[in-house]
Amino acid sequence: MLAHLINRRQRTPQAMLMHKVIVFALFSTRRQAEIIRLTWDDSHKEHKRILVRDMKHPGEKLGNDTRVDLPEEAIRIIDSMRKSKAEIFPYSPDAITANFTRACKLLGIEDLHFHDLRHEGISRLFEMGWSIPHVAAVSGPRSWVSLKRYTHIRETGDKYANWLGTQLAIDNT
């Protein structure tokens, strides 16, 4: 999918940087709605953290501003973005959904949803041997109970270590 999106961007320079959005979602474990609200002012690179405004919460819609840790790969994606607007990823949710859905359809990928990137990212952190508190510092749940579904995952190492997709996403603007 990344190769397809990068190729599309190279053919159509005004196309959104969807490959960067996808890689950021994977490594940051952020939801689509959270990604589009991230601003440059909320990014604290020196502390490897970012403020996620109005993070999803089952009982509250607004005011759930939460600081979360960012893995190095997510920071590298942010660093590769151009500061053209207040938002790091200045896209609408409809544009992201349309691009993701279109790419899946063109590539014959069935039953893949943008939110699956969050699950993959959280699973990866547990596979790397991270503790529940450490994963929670990145994923930002209000309670660790929501992370219990991942605790059965075996520690297998980082399957994305030296993954070419990260570098491709950073290099292709």
Side-chain angles (χ1 to χ4, degrees), residues 151-164:
T151 57
H152 67 283
I153 294 174
R154 291 178 314 157
E155 185 176 334
T156 58
D158 184 1
K159 63 185 163 197
Y160 291 103
N162 303 314
W163 181 48
L164 184 59

Side-chain angles (χ1 to χ4, degrees), residues 91-124:
Y91 309 117
S92 73
D94 291 342
I96 291 175
T97 299
N99 276 275
F100 191 83
T101 303
R102 185 181 315 113
C104 286
K105 187 174 182 177
L106 286 170
L107 297 170
I109 300 171
E110 295 181 19
D111 199 31
L112 180 64
H113 307 278
F114 192 88
H115 192 74
D116 295 337
L117 299 172
R118 175 174 168 80
H119 288 279
E120 174 64 19
I122 293 170
S123 295
R124 170 187 171 258

